[in-house]
Amino acid sequence: MMVLKRFACASSGKDFESHDEEHLSKLFSRSNEYFQTLKEGISLCTAARIEIKNGVEVDVGAQTELATIKMIRKLSKSPDEYLTIRAETEQNILKTNPFSSERKKSSIIIARPDGKMRVYVIGAPDFIVKFCDSSLDLDLNIHKFGKVETENFLKIQEEMASFVLRTLSIAFRDFEDESLVEAVDKNN
């Protein structure tokens, strides 16, 4: 399985082909912080990995999650950068909620260097978008994510699904109230 299409910046309404690595590299070089946030979220929300056994790469984990890991491996400075992100963040993990088909998502909460906490959630787009009230563009500007944006987002997701493409969304939220750590999974 591989990533064929990638949709980002829901507020801009643009759709990017991820197999156009040159285009994506230019896009992400324009917004290193955006790409770093995406890499961190993908790296931390899945245990999928590539192992080397007898000199051969072996996929370990769910195929959909492996596809996201392979995408960031291609676009990162080092193919093992996702492992570095995991190792550097390990001591800051406050809570993990493994994927559940009932919840249609997995999540992880980490302590940030600035004293805030961040939750990353990855899962079914139609489920995740229900809990989003804003989106980021590549310049890290925050945009309101209302009914029209949600409908546009779901339309793009449904178009991808109509081509029998598996779809995942990733979202994050920063917060300061420690009492929310336990509430994240219960309250979505």
Side-chain angles (χ1 to χ4, degrees):
M1 185 175 295
M2 61 188 264
V3 176
L4 294 176
K5 288 188 133 190
R6 182 190 149 287
F7 172 75
C9 307
S11 60
S12 70
K14 293 183 180 173
D15 191 11
F16 301 107
E17 299 282 335
S18 69
H19 62 271
D20 181 354
E21 291 174 27
E22 182 179 340
H23 180 84
L24 281 179
S25 293
K26 287 179 185 175
L27 198 63
F28 287 137
S29 68
R30 186 180 120 211
S31 182
N32 186 50
E33 192 174 346
Y34 181 94
F35 186 42
Q36 194 60 35
T37 302
L38 179 67
K39 287 188 295 187
E40 186 176 82
I42 290 172
S43 299
L44 297 176
C45 278
T46 175
R49 64 193 179 282
I50 312 298
E51 292 182 354
I52 306 296
K53 292 190 179 177
N54 300 324
V56 176
E57 288 188 349
V58 177
D59 295 347
V60 178
Q63 291 301 306
T64 305
E65 293 176 355
L66 278 161
T68 62
I69 292 294
K70 289 177 180 180
M71 177 188 76
I72 62 172
R73 285 183 83 207
K74 284 182 182 179
L75 297 168
S76 296
K77 295 173 189 154
S78 158
D80 292 332
E81 186 176 2
Y82 75 101
L83 295 173
T84 303
I85 291 169
R86 288 177 183 171
E88 290 174 351
T89 310
E90 188 173 8
Q91 68 275 7
N92 298 324
I93 295 172
L94 302 173
K95 185 176 181 185
T96 58
N97 297 302
F99 180 80
S100 158
S101 55
E102 179 183 318
R103 290 188 324 267
K104 298 184 182 182
K105 66 178 174 124
S106 65
S107 61
I108 188 164
I109 305 168
I110 60 170
R112 307 279 302 163
D114 62 5
K116 294 181 181 179
M117 290 158 278
R118 176 172 285 176
V119 60
Y120 284 106
V121 182
I122 192 168
D126 55 327
F127 183 80
I128 298 221
V129 74
K130 288 191 267 184
F131 301 99
C132 293
D133 59 10
S134 57
S135 67
L136 287 179
D137 63 23
L138 288 171
D139 296 318
L140 299 180
N141 297 309
I142 299 172
H143 299 274
K144 181 156 176 39
F145 202 81
K147 184 178 179 181
V148 170
E149 291 82 8
T150 299
E151 289 170 1
N152 289 339
F153 178 87
L154 290 172
K155 181 179 162 190
I156 291 167
Q157 182 268 327
E158 287 168 11
E159 180 184 316
M160 289 180 178
S162 74
F163 289 103
V164 196
L165 299 174
R166 288 189 182 178
T167 56
L168 283 177
S169 286
I170 187 160
F172 76 93
R173 176 168 285 162
D174 291 334
F175 60 96
E176 296 180 36
D177 184 352
E178 289 186 31
S179 69
L180 295 176
V181 170
E182 290 304 314
V184 164
D185 195 46
K186 294 174 189 156
N187 301 332
N188 297 307

